[in-house]
């Protein structure tokens, strides 16, 4: 059994390329994501998807981001990170005064946006701490890892690696993705990933069947059984 507790992020962005890039980066960070090109049915999306956070562009067709921000604040308690090409202080203050939690100016680095989203979710208490894959339970907040009734002792790096893989459960992730997410850079010896994956795999398999699988030529995947 796999229990998904990933935070839900709604992205409202009319530029297709930006929306796709933001969506991909957030999914790589372990979030559930939906993308909309405008806020035409925002009220319905808030009810159906129940986002924990909305990434909201200011310049949108129809209702602009400031109007949609008012809808969000009237309707739910989701966090809001606003995106805009406007870099004027007055625009930023306008968004923050109306209840936005953070403000990112285009062009932006995707890693920074993901970090801002994560920070807002943490402040709001919307980042679930526990993920379960099969008999493996990873509690990020307490740094507790269990397989069945057995506690598994991990180094700080192994724990970061496991937390990332658990967030990506069921998805194959490459070495470069892991380097960027776990170590914060991608221009480094990929053998670093292999060494830590091997050590983590050994510790996990001391208490049960294989969960951390190698997909030849692609990377690694954490899942409860082979398919």
């Amino acid at each position: 059994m796999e229990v998904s507790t990933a935070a839900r992020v709604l992205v409202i962005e009319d530029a297709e390329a930006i929306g796709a890039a933001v969506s991909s980066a957030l999914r790589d960070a372990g979030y559930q994501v939906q993308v909309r090109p405008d806020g035409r049915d925002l009220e319905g999306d808030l009810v159906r998807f129940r986002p924990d956070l909305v990434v909201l562009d200011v310049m949108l067709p129809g209702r602009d981001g400031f109007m949609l921000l008012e809808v969000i604040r009237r309707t739910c308690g989701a966090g809001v990170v606003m995106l805009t090409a406007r870099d004027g202080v007055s625009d930023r203050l306008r968004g923050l005064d109306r209840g936005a939690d953070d403000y990112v100016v285009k062009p932006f680095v995707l890693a920074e946006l993901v970090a801002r989203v994560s920070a807002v979710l943490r402040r709001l208490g919307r980042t679930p701490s526990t993920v379960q894959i099969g008999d493996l339970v990873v509690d990020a907040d307490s740094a507790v890892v269990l397989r069945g009734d057995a506690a598994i002792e991990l180094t700080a790096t192994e724990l970061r690696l496991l937390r990332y893989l658990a967030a990506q459960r069921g998805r194959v992730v490459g070495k470069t993705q892991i380097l960027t997410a776990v170590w914060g850079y991608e221009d480094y010896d990929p053998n670093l990933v292999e060494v830590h994956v091997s050590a983590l795999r050994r510790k996990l398999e001391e208490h049960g069947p294989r969960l951390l699988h190698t997909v030849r030529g692609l990377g690694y995947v954490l899942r409860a059984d082979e398919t």
Side-chain angles (χ1 to χ4, degrees), residues 122-164:
R122 283 195 301 272
R123 288 200 302 270
L124 296 175
R126 301 294 181 85
T127 303
S129 105
T130 303
V131 176
Q132 182 174 348
I133 302 97
D135 64 348
L136 174 69
V137 176
V138 182
D139 189 327
D141 286 351
S142 63
V144 170
V145 178
L146 301 172
R147 284 207 75 174
D149 296 326
I152 301 176
E153 297 294 329
L154 300 178
T155 67
T157 301
E158 289 166 352
L159 180 60
R160 289 199 307 272
L161 174 59
L162 180 58
R163 286 162 64 178
Y164 175 69

Side-chain angles (χ1 to χ4, degrees), residues 22 25-27 29 31 109-119 122:
V22 169
L26 290 170
R27 288 193 177 101
Y31 299 116
V109 177
L110 286 170
E112 178 187 359
L113 174 61
V114 172
R116 298 283 191 93
V117 166
S118 299
R122 283 195 301 272

Side-chain angles (χ1 to χ4, degrees), residues 153-190:
E153 297 294 329
L154 300 178
T155 67
T157 301
E158 289 166 352
L159 180 60
R160 289 199 307 272
L161 174 59
L162 180 58
R163 286 162 64 178
Y164 175 69
L165 292 170
Q168 302 298 318
R169 56 199 174 279
R171 301 181 62 201
V172 178
V173 289
K175 293 178 182 178
T176 299
Q177 289 173 280
I178 294 172
L179 281 167
T180 302
V182 177
W183 281 272
Y185 43 69
E186 57 186 59
D187 185 17
Y188 203 78
D189 185 354

